[in-house]
Amino acid sequence: MRYSKVSAAGVQQDLLPGGQIMGDSSDVWVGSAYLFVQSTSEKVFLPVLYGNPQQKPSVFKALKLALADSTGSLNGVDMLKVHCSDPHLIIQLKFCKQENCRKFLRSYRQGDLQESLQKHLKVSLAMSNTVLVQMELKAGTEKLDSILWEEKRCLECIYHEKPNRLRDEEITELEESLRNLNCYQESSSDSKHPSPNSPPPSYSSLQISNTVPPLDTFTFQGQQFVNRRLTPDDHQKFAKLVSKKWKQVGRTLQITCRALRDPVIDNLAIEYEREGLYEQAYQLLRRFIDSEGKKATLQRLVAALEENGLISLAEELVGLHQNENRL
């Protein structure tokens, strides 16, 4: 005989007579949430550190290990993307099992995740003092911090917020840079025969290779920057600040971008004349991004801005102005 029940996520599940869920529903439970992390330590600015190609792997390593600590598994929660939005790092999380999500919520609620991340940041960044952080958890428009003790409701919110993207390529590259990590290193001498009652080991004992593959970078103003794909934030800044020189930048980009070849730029100027300079510039870069895909990189846009004397805008896009304001 088959029985049914409604899960915490509002999904009807078929049960066997003994109460076992048919089809192992944990394998199909998928949800998403956003973790906002902000450093409260003096002179530690996580968005700036994550934007630095030399520091990014260290920050990522700390995030990865802290999340692993929260679920007891390196694969308990998946990072899809890390957004830099001053003063936060915003990590989009994906859960593929309800039990892992439950463990994460409990770790977050009890402050264990926060403590673990602080510890891993201190080690990864080779800091003398603990890197203090504040956290906030959201699922869609729901702020989960205010309902953390309502675990069922939190699970429902995360379950109904389905992941809206695949894992970012940058995250995949950073994951691969950690592929040489070893399994647990047990602290006791009888690690091969641990006590059944002993607590699960912390991922703070994981040994990760410090050999990180070189990231694709470029030089601007004597500094190295990650040559990443253009983001919606880049798109907005360009359209807002490029002003009348958008056509000049477009003609520089058209040298290597077939989609901007004549008469495209002139047609954009005519088509969006009523909307003004912002929309004309926005549509230009949109055409570039749509046609070039992965090749629509920060390096190419910065080079085009440099060639047309738009140094201040280039500095804005790579984050130099943000860094200067921090000093």
Side-chain angles (χ1 to χ4, degrees), residues 72-306:
S73 169
L74 280 170
N75 300 316
V77 55
D78 192 15
M79 284 189 282
L80 299 183
K81 185 174 179 61
V82 178
H83 305 263
C84 292
S85 180
D86 185 42
H88 297 99
L89 285 182
I90 307 175
I91 303 98
Q92 185 175 7
L93 305 175
K94 175 184 176 182
F95 300 91
C96 291
K97 290 188 178 182
Q98 185 181 102
E99 184 56 32
N100 286 337
C101 187
R102 193 186 303 274
K103 291 178 181 178
F104 169 85
L105 285 171
R106 291 174 180 173
S107 175
Y108 181 86
R109 183 177 66 228
Q110 295 166 5
D112 295 337
L113 176 61
Q114 180 184 26
E115 182 179 347
S116 177
L117 180 56
Q118 291 177 161
K119 175 179 60 180
H120 287 304
L121 283 171
K122 178 182 178 181
V123 174
S124 295
L125 298 173
M127 304 291 291
S128 57
N129 298 319
T130 300
V131 180
L132 300 177
V133 299
Q134 292 179 343
M135 293 182 172
E136 186 177 5
L137 188 64
K138 295 182 180 180
T141 59
E142 189 74 47
K143 295 182 179 181
L144 301 184
D145 295 75
S146 60
I147 58 170
L148 284 175
W149 292 100
E150 300 179 55
E151 188 173 279
K152 179 180 178 181
R153 184 177 169 190
C154 287
L155 287 168
E156 289 174 346
C157 291
I158 292 173
Y159 175 79
H160 288 300
E161 186 67 18
K162 299 301 182 185
N164 59 4
R165 63 179 301 123
L166 298 176
R167 183 190 295 180
D168 193 78
E169 289 183 2
E170 179 181 73
I171 298 297
T172 299
E173 291 172 2
L174 289 166
E175 290 271 11
E176 289 175 354
S177 74
L178 302 180
R179 65 181 177 274
N180 293 324
L181 62 84
N182 297 323
C183 295
Y184 296 105
Q185 281 194 338
E186 304 291 350
S187 57
S188 60
S189 57
D190 59 342
S191 59
K192 293 184 179 180
H193 303 284
S195 167
N197 298 321
S198 61
S202 167
Y203 277 83
S204 59
S205 61
L206 283 174
Q207 300 299 307
I208 296 181
S209 170
N210 289 325
T211 303
V212 178
L215 297 174
D216 182 17
T217 62
F218 66 98
T219 303
F220 173 70
Q221 302 286 73
Q223 298 186 42
Q224 291 291 312
F225 297 93
V226 175
N227 184 26
R228 54 176 174 74
R229 293 176 66 175
L230 294 174
T231 66
D233 188 51
D234 298 328
H235 200 163
Q236 295 283 351
K237 286 180 180 178
F238 173 81
K240 181 179 179 180
L241 301 174
V242 71
S243 191
K244 295 180 180 180
K245 287 194 172 183
W246 70 271
K247 292 177 73 173
Q248 293 174 237
V249 176
R251 298 199 189 286
T252 300
L253 291 173
Q254 75 175 189
I255 297 174
T256 56
C257 177
R258 186 182 300 274
L260 295 181
R261 301 281 170 85
D262 291 334
V264 172
I265 295 176
D266 289 335
N267 289 344
L268 288 174
I270 296 171
E271 184 176 356
Y272 295 97
E273 182 178 10
R274 287 189 175 184
E275 286 83 352
L277 293 174
Y278 175 91
E279 190 62 27
Q280 290 171 328
Y282 187 90
Q283 293 299 330
L284 170 80
L285 199 58
R286 180 182 179 183
R287 184 69 62 92
F288 175 69
I289 293 172
D290 288 348
S291 64
E292 295 296 292
K294 297 178 182 179
K295 297 180 180 178
T297 62
L298 181 63
Q299 181 180 12
R300 291 176 68 183
L301 182 56
V302 166
L305 294 171
E306 273 193 290

